Amino acid sequence: MLKRSNIVTPKEELDAFYEHLRGQHVTPAWIAEATGHEPRSKAVPFVWHWRDLRPEAMRAAELVGTEQAERRVLRMHNPGLQGSSAANTLVANIQIVMPGEIARAHRHTPSALRLIIEGKGGYTVVNGDRIPMSPGDLVLTPNWTWHDHANDTDAPVIWLDGLDAPLVRMLEAGFYEQFPEEAQSLGEGADGNVAKYGAGGLRPAWETPGGKYSPLWHYPFTQARAALEKLAAEQPGSPFDGVILEYTNPATGGPAMPTIGCYVQVLRPGDHT
Amino acid sequence: MLKRSNIVTPKEELDAFYEHLRGQHVTPAWIAEATGHEPRSKAVPFVWHWRDLRPEAMRAAELVGTEQAERRVLRMHNPGLQGSSAANTLVANIQIVMPGEIARAHRHTPSALRLIIEGKGGYTVVNGDRIPMSPGDLVLTPNWTWHDHANDTDAPVIWLDGLDAPLVRMLEAGFYEQFPEEAQSLGEGADGNVAKYGAGGLRPAWETPGGKYSPLWHYPFTQARAALEKLAAEQPGSPFDGVILEYTNPATGGPAMPTIGCYVQVLRPGDHT
Amino acid sequence: MLKRSNIVTPKEELDAFYEHLRGQHVTPAWIAEATGHEPRSKAVPFVWHWRDLRPEAMRAAELVGTEQAERRVLRMHNPGLQGSSAANTLVANIQIVMPGEIARAHRHTPSALRLIIEGKGGYTVVNGDRIPMSPGDLVLTPNWTWHDHANDTDAPVIWLDGLDAPLVRMLEAGFYEQFPEEAQSLGEGADGNVAKYGAGGLRPAWETPGGKYSPLWHYPFTQARAALEKLAAEQPGSPFDGVILEYTNPATGGPAMPTIGCYVQVLRPGDHT
Amino acid sequence: MLKRSNIVTPKEELDAFYEHLRGQHVTPAWIAEATGHEPRSKAVPFVWHWRDLRPEAMRAAELVGTEQAERRVLRMHNPGLQGSSAANTLVANIQIVMPGEIARAHRHTPSALRLIIEGKGGYTVVNGDRIPMSPGDLVLTPNWTWHDHANDTDAPVIWLDGLDAPLVRMLEAGFYEQFPEEAQSLGEGADGNVAKYGAGGLRPAWETPGGKYSPLWHYPFTQARAALEKLAAEQPGSPFDGVILEYTNPATGGPAMPTIGCYVQVLRPGDHT
């Protein structure tokens, strides 16, 4: 008759055994904190207000040059987490580039999104393609793509960065490389990725995206907003989230980046998610 | 020592044997026409001129009602092929719907594309979604989708049909079903498939396309033309085909339909493919 | 009010119009034979008895050498089909190689299976790998793989060929090439594909199959029979087909060949499918 | 002229600003430890010797019943890591089940492998299928599969556990559930997963694996050893790793579990990886 065995051992004897085990780099796992029945996040809900962060970004731009800082970013750390990430697998930054400045070219295995908050122009160069940045735009720099940022306007450009750095660190897959020049050289055109992959249901028949990442790196807000407004007027959307669109990789129909899903949502008057 | 065997048998004896085999529904395959080293198409290059076909379509509309013809289509048959297909795996038709007419709802396993040639409006209903038809538009009715056509304008609507019927027939997978009503009922909106899946790099997060076919059934020519013109101005395109775009299934990034690839191409002055 | 139009035209006028259309290589599709609601195969059920075919194969071996016939194959043609295929998309042959003979090396885009019926040995060489052939074995020569057959025993080797040639022909994708030598040269080993890919749930970590076809070309009957017998003793199997196994491509878990599914089935006493 | 900006600010002023930022849950990321150019693992190479661990496992079995411990496992913690995992994403345990004992049924989202080290029998039940455990066998309990362990022999059964728990915890995807009974009920047969999916290149045509995990949960060492020995005798294997086989999911050809790759390797006399 098979059954669970029942053995009662004096506490002191057990404690001595456990202590002995630890000396051998072994843990008696049955006394560890019981596994929960559901995940419990250590991260806590938290709001960083723009009215607070913007002045800090401007102040940082006064005090620190892009010569001093590879990237001038304010990293938001979640009060519930150790380290400096906003969520368990994601880092969130406010980054600012002042008129006339560039942030030099590099690449890394963490993937990044940029959601433009403020600015009158400026651009990011991704693998040689010059991508304009307007408020509301989503700009991707997928893993291991060369990228530098520049501001050729007379107003600051400020955006939100999102990176999967904590996940990449856990997977011990973090690589980083400086570009040999300060910035990538630019050809005549701009935003070629949008011309080729940004039109719905069309792809350039003369090329096959080589990498594992999306060939589309720029999702202009004008397009996303038009799509949202049209749908908000005509369709109920999701019973849980209302009218919400996911940014996709047009070469696969899947998420914009494998490790970071990106969405844009409209809340109509009266909507309650 | 293994080698090819060499046996010389009198021709009459061989012929008698071959004749005997055929009586058993067996063919001596070694005397069959040798397999070619490359495919040789029986289909021949052929042009049907619009100046010739258009009057025939108008005449057909005079002589035959949509009550008489499930679909009023002129099928172009390739002079090199038996049967009535334009190419080995594809059928090509000119279809005309006159003012006030409908072509009743049905569905079938062959998939179809419609390339609108002429008209001031009219629409196709695909699985309940009302899709407007303007010249240059590509409209899909993928396999087993319900579809009917209607012309609510005062001018004829004429388009090119393309179907994979010969392939489906070879695979013995041809099914067909009449819709219980003359036409599908329509809701308020129109072109919901374009609102949801037609914007580049975006998808409605609240639904997952269930079937194996594209959720986008309408590729407006205005969008395709704008994309072509932008690329034609900025990019060299393919060294073989110049600036050519493939219509894709936005849910997969693959071809618009698995059995029929659809492309749109611009020839700039001086382009030579 | 949209509706189907009703136009009654005298038969002679219609006939004259139809005749005129045909002169322009156009068919009025609405008078064509109505599309059926379900596929209707032209192929008919038919049995070729082994007691009839075996003597014909032996007779063919007497009358025709492998010098005379690239392959000495008897092709079974379905009485319901034009041409010489056994089914709509498949060709079936009986092939015989006599003691001391080889059938010279070539390759083609149609894919082939060989199901060994009779023999005491012999082998097929697929892309340089020597594959022994025993009764019941399934041997694949996927599209564009080099293959030659040889019989180094003192008894005939006879097998069933299955090829997707009709489908390849329809797709106009038929290519064929002679190997520069009579036979491929052989190394020391044999059946390396089985050593590497034939063990369940294991793959050689040092190579990634390059092509689109299965890296396993030999499915020994001893393995299939053992698996069938074990399952037949322990499991009910399918309510429709009883205990039936599909041969798979171990690199994908999908069918052995994309265009030809291969199965092996046991009928237990009392089984009725 | 765009360039990097150069701003020199007194250290005290910077420090005060940084201090102020931290009060707002913001980190000036540019002063953080520079990202390395390559990943640097905190885990260190370490050997736990079987001669040391086996006595501890036996001692644990004396002192702690399976009534007291949901699982009687000794967890090896890497001296370079915080917490108690052996590597960054993996936990490794020694688990022991004594004669007559069972370890009660539960399930969890972390996936586990069991590599049997010692024993004369015993079994794991995975989703109702009774799986025998012999030394060298690999047994999987993929995520969210019910599993219990039992020892119906007169000798201890000891194995190595590997789990992706650290990764699951980071993704905040850890769920756990007790089975309503102490153990899953057993039918007549055993090892049905091997009968159906363990034979190379064959699959039961009457079922389609429903989940995202492998339908094969048992990789008997007799099979793996035979495959290794055959390959070791005939093939050079990898220039880096010699003759090494990966355990695969037969339904996809991919890894046995998406989060844990499993391999088995032979070192021939003279092999040097």
Side-chain angles (χ1 to χ4, degrees):
Chain A
M1 171 58 183
L2 294 170
K3 59 177 183 178
R4 286 197 278 171
S5 57
N6 195 358
I7 301 171
V8 180
T9 302
K11 184 171 182 309
E12 312 84 72
E13 194 173 352
L14 282 177
D15 286 348
F17 177 52
Y18 297 163
E19 184 62 25
H20 166 74
L21 282 179
R22 289 190 190 98
Q24 302 204 38
H25 296 290
V26 168
T27 303
W30 56 90
I31 64 161
E33 194 191 342
T35 314
H37 284 232
E38 291 181 348
R40 281 166 305 190
S41 184
K42 288 184 180 160
V44 296
F46 195 79
V47 176
W48 290 263
H49 289 284
W50 184 234
R51 63 176 175 261
D52 299 329
L53 285 187
R54 191 186 185 285
E56 306 299 358
M58 292 300 289
R59 175 85 173 131
E62 269 173 52
L63 299 182
V64 182
T66 53
E67 185 80 47
Q68 279 72 41
E70 174 82 14
R71 290 291 188 268
R72 191 195 284 117
V73 301
L74 301 178
R75 182 156 300 156
M76 293 171 260
H77 62 258
N78 189 295
L81 294 177
Q82 292 185 309
S84 57
S85 62
N88 229 36
T89 60
L90 291 176
V91 153
N93 305 320
I94 296 297
Q95 184 165 170
I96 181 168
V97 179
M98 296 299 284
E101 281 184 353
I102 62 167
R104 60 164 297 166
H106 64 201
R107 64 178 178 178
H108 37 69
T109 47
S111 295
L113 68 88
R114 328 285 174 181
L115 182 66
I116 317 308
I117 300 175
E118 179 181 319
K120 292 164 59 182
Y123 57 87
T124 289
V125 186
V126 181
N127 278 2
D129 195 7
R130 187 181 177 283
I131 297 173
M133 300 168 97
S134 293
D137 286 8
L138 177 70
V139 175
L140 307 183
T141 55
N143 78 86
W144 214 235
T145 48
W146 293 111
H147 57 283
D148 51 80
H149 309 292
N151 183 348
D152 54 357
T153 74
D154 60 3
V157 183
I158 318 181
W159 66 81
L160 174 77
D161 281 330
L163 291 102
D164 58 6
L167 181 62
V168 171
R169 203 175 308 124
M170 204 233 195
L171 298 174
E172 299 185 342
F175 290 84
Y176 173 89
E177 191 177 357
Q178 287 274 357
F179 193 68
E181 315 287 326
E182 197 161 68
Q184 299 171 72
S185 59
L186 297 175
E188 287 289 304
D191 230 10
N193 70 97
V194 171
K196 288 188 289 184
Y197 294 100
L202 290 165
R203 69 168 195 93
W206 64 88
E207 66 177 40
T208 304
K212 296 211 170 181
Y213 48 73
S214 171
L216 182 60
W217 304 321
H218 184 199
Y219 301 79
F221 186 53
T222 48
Q223 284 186 20
R225 179 168 197 139
L228 278 177
E229 287 179 348
K230 188 166 172 47
L231 284 166
E234 293 175 3
Q235 305 239 354
S238 156
F240 306 103
D241 295 308
V243 171
I244 178 170
L245 294 168
E246 182 176 8
Y247 291 102
T248 65
N249 172 348
T252 65
M257 294 187 287
T259 51
I260 314 180
C262 304
Y263 295 80
V264 62
Q265 189 173 10
V266 63
L267 279 185
R268 290 165 291 202
D271 267 357
H272 193 282
T273 63
Chain B
M1 169 57 183
L2 294 169
K3 58 178 184 177
R4 286 196 278 173
S5 57
N6 195 0
I7 301 170
V8 181
T9 302
K11 185 173 181 310
E12 313 82 73
E13 193 174 352
L14 282 177
D15 286 348
F17 177 52
Y18 297 162
E19 184 62 27
H20 167 73
L21 282 179
R22 288 191 190 95
Q24 301 204 36
H25 297 291
V26 169
T27 303
W30 57 90
I31 65 161
E33 193 190 344
T35 314
H37 284 231
E38 292 181 347
R40 279 165 307 190
S41 184
K42 288 183 180 162
V44 296
F46 195 78
V47 176
W48 291 263
H49 289 283
W50 184 234
R51 63 176 175 261
D52 298 330
L53 286 188
R54 192 186 184 285
E56 306 298 358
M58 292 300 290
R59 176 84 173 128
E62 270 174 51
L63 299 181
V64 182
T66 52
E67 185 80 47
Q68 280 71 42
E70 175 82 14
R71 291 292 187 266
R72 191 195 283 117
V73 301
L74 301 177
R75 181 155 301 157
M76 293 171 261
H77 63 258
N78 189 296
L81 294 177
Q82 292 184 309
S84 58
S85 61
N88 229 37
T89 61
L90 292 175
V91 153
N93 305 320
I94 296 298
Q95 185 164 166
I96 181 169
V97 179
M98 296 299 283
E101 282 184 353
I102 61 165
R104 61 162 298 166
H106 65 200
R107 65 177 178 178
H108 38 68
T109 47
S111 294
L113 69 88
R114 328 287 174 180
L115 182 66
I116 317 310
I117 300 174
E118 179 181 319
K120 292 165 58 182
Y123 57 88
T124 289
V125 186
V126 181
N127 278 2
D129 195 9
R130 186 181 177 284
I131 296 174
M133 300 169 98
S134 292
D137 285 7
L138 176 70
V139 176
L140 307 184
T141 56
N143 76 87
W144 215 233
T145 48
W146 294 111
H147 56 282
D148 52 79
H149 310 291
N151 182 350
D152 54 357
T153 75
D154 60 3
V157 182
I158 318 182
W159 65 82
L160 174 77
D161 281 332
L163 290 102
D164 58 6
L167 181 63
V168 170
R169 202 176 307 122
M170 204 237 195
L171 298 174
E172 298 184 341
F175 290 83
Y176 173 90
E177 191 178 357
Q178 287 272 357
F179 194 68
E181 313 288 325
E182 197 162 67
Q184 299 171 72
S185 59
L186 297 174
E188 287 289 303
D191 230 11
N193 70 97
V194 172
K196 287 189 289 183
Y197 294 100
L202 291 164
R203 69 168 195 92
W206 65 87
E207 67 177 40
T208 303
K212 296 210 171 184
Y213 47 73
S214 172
L216 182 62
W217 303 322
H218 184 200
Y219 301 79
F221 187 53
T222 48
Q223 284 186 20
R225 177 165 199 141
L228 278 177
E229 288 180 347
K230 188 166 171 48
L231 285 166
E234 293 174 3
Q235 305 240 354
S238 156
F240 305 103
D241 296 308
V243 170
I244 178 169
L245 293 168
E246 182 175 8
Y247 291 101
T248 65
N249 172 348
T252 64
M257 294 187 288
T259 51
I260 314 179
C262 303
Y263 295 80
V264 62
Q265 189 173 10
V266 63
L267 280 184
R268 290 166 290 202
D271 267 356
H272 194 282
T273 62
Chain C
M1 171 58 185
L2 295 169
K3 59 176 183 180
R4 285 195 279 171
S5 57
N6 195 359
I7 302 170
V8 181
T9 303
K11 184 171 182 311
E12 313 82 74
E13 194 173 354
L14 281 176
D15 286 348
F17 177 52
Y18 296 163
E19 185 62 26
H20 166 74
L21 281 179
R22 289 192 189 96
Q24 301 205 38
H25 297 289
V26 168
T27 303
W30 56 90
I31 64 160
E33 191 191 342
T35 314
H37 285 231
E38 291 181 349
R40 280 167 306 190
S41 184
K42 287 183 181 162
V44 295
F46 195 77
V47 176
W48 291 264
H49 290 283
W50 184 234
R51 64 176 175 261
D52 298 330
L53 285 188
R54 192 185 183 284
E56 305 299 359
M58 291 301 290
R59 176 86 173 126
E62 268 173 52
L63 299 181
V64 183
T66 52
E67 185 80 46
Q68 279 71 41
E70 174 83 13
R71 289 292 187 266
R72 191 195 283 117
V73 300
L74 301 179
R75 181 155 301 156
M76 293 170 260
H77 63 258
N78 189 296
L81 294 177
Q82 291 184 309
S84 57
S85 61
N88 230 35
T89 61
L90 291 176
V91 153
N93 305 321
I94 297 297
Q95 184 165 167
I96 180 168
V97 179
M98 296 298 283
E101 281 185 354
I102 61 167
R104 61 164 296 166
H106 64 201
R107 64 178 179 179
H108 37 68
T109 46
S111 294
L113 68 89
R114 327 287 172 179
L115 182 67
I116 317 309
I117 300 175
E118 179 182 318
K120 291 164 58 182
Y123 58 88
T124 289
V125 187
V126 181
N127 278 3
D129 196 6
R130 184 181 179 283
I131 296 174
M133 301 170 97
S134 292
D137 285 7
L138 177 69
V139 176
L140 307 183
T141 55
N143 78 86
W144 214 232
T145 48
W146 294 111
H147 56 283
D148 52 80
H149 309 292
N151 183 349
D152 53 359
T153 75
D154 59 4
V157 183
I158 318 180
W159 66 82
L160 174 78
D161 281 331
L163 291 102
D164 59 4
L167 181 63
V168 171
R169 203 176 305 123
M170 204 232 197
L171 298 174
E172 299 184 343
F175 289 84
Y176 173 90
E177 191 177 358
Q178 287 274 358
F179 193 68
E181 314 287 326
E182 196 162 69
Q184 299 171 71
S185 58
L186 296 175
E188 287 289 304
D191 230 11
N193 70 96
V194 172
K196 288 188 288 184
Y197 294 100
L202 290 165
R203 69 167 195 92
W206 65 88
E207 66 177 40
T208 303
K212 296 210 171 183
Y213 48 74
S214 172
L216 182 62
W217 304 322
H218 183 199
Y219 301 79
F221 186 52
T222 48
Q223 284 186 20
R225 179 165 197 141
L228 278 177
E229 288 181 348
K230 189 166 170 47
L231 285 166
E234 293 175 3
Q235 304 239 355
S238 156
F240 305 105
D241 295 308
V243 170
I244 179 170
L245 293 167
E246 182 176 8
Y247 291 101
T248 64
N249 172 347
T252 65
M257 295 187 288
T259 51
I260 313 180
C262 303
Y263 294 82
V264 62
Q265 189 173 9
V266 62
L267 279 185
R268 291 166 291 201
D271 267 358
H272 194 281
T273 62
Chain D
M1 169 57 185
L2 293 170
K3 59 176 183 179
R4 285 196 277 172
S5 57
N6 195 357
I7 302 171
V8 181
T9 302
K11 183 171 181 311
E12 313 82 72
E13 194 172 354
L14 281 177
D15 286 348
F17 177 51
Y18 296 163
E19 186 61 26
H20 167 73
L21 283 178
R22 289 190 189 98
Q24 301 204 38
H25 297 290
V26 169
T27 302
W30 55 90
I31 64 161
E33 193 190 342
T35 314
H37 285 230
E38 291 181 348
R40 280 166 307 190
S41 184
K42 287 183 181 163
V44 295
F46 196 78
V47 177
W48 291 263
H49 289 283
W50 185 233
R51 64 176 173 261
D52 298 331
L53 285 187
R54 192 185 184 285
E56 305 299 358
M58 292 301 290
R59 176 87 174 127
E62 268 172 54
L63 299 182
V64 183
T66 52
E67 186 80 45
Q68 279 72 41
E70 175 83 13
R71 290 292 187 267
R72 192 195 285 116
V73 300
L74 301 179
R75 182 155 301 157
M76 292 171 260
H77 62 257
N78 188 295
L81 294 177
Q82 292 184 306
S84 57
S85 62
N88 228 36
T89 61
L90 291 175
V91 153
N93 304 322
I94 297 297
Q95 185 165 168
I96 181 167
V97 179
M98 295 300 283
E101 282 185 353
I102 60 167
R104 62 164 297 165
H106 64 201
R107 65 178 179 178
H108 37 70
T109 46
S111 295
L113 67 88
R114 328 286 173 179
L115 181 67
I116 317 309
I117 300 174
E118 179 181 319
K120 291 164 60 183
Y123 57 86
T124 289
V125 186
V126 181
N127 277 2
D129 195 6
R130 185 182 177 283
I131 296 173
M133 301 169 97
S134 292
D137 285 8
L138 177 69
V139 175
L140 307 183
T141 56
N143 78 87
W144 213 233
T145 49
W146 293 111
H147 57 284
D148 52 79
H149 310 292
N151 183 349
D152 53 358
T153 75
D154 59 3
V157 183
I158 317 181
W159 65 81
L160 175 77
D161 280 331
L163 291 103
D164 60 3
L167 181 63
V168 170
R169 203 175 307 123
M170 202 231 196
L171 298 174
E172 298 183 345
F175 289 85
Y176 173 90
E177 191 177 358
Q178 287 275 357
F179 194 67
E181 314 288 327
E182 196 162 67
Q184 299 172 72
S185 58
L186 298 174
E188 286 290 302
D191 229 12
N193 70 97
V194 171
K196 288 188 288 185
Y197 294 100
L202 290 165
R203 70 167 194 93
W206 64 89
E207 67 177 40
T208 304
K212 296 211 170 181
Y213 48 75
S214 171
L216 182 61
W217 304 321
H218 184 198
Y219 301 79
F221 187 53
T222 48
Q223 284 186 21
R225 179 168 197 139
L228 278 177
E229 287 180 348
K230 190 166 169 48
L231 285 166
E234 293 175 3
Q235 304 239 354
S238 157
F240 305 105
D241 295 308
V243 170
I244 179 170
L245 294 167
E246 182 176 7
Y247 291 100
T248 64
N249 172 347
T252 64
M257 295 187 288
T259 51
I260 314 181
C262 303
Y263 294 81
V264 61
Q265 190 173 8
V266 62
L267 279 185
R268 291 166 290 202
D271 267 359
H272 193 281
T273 62

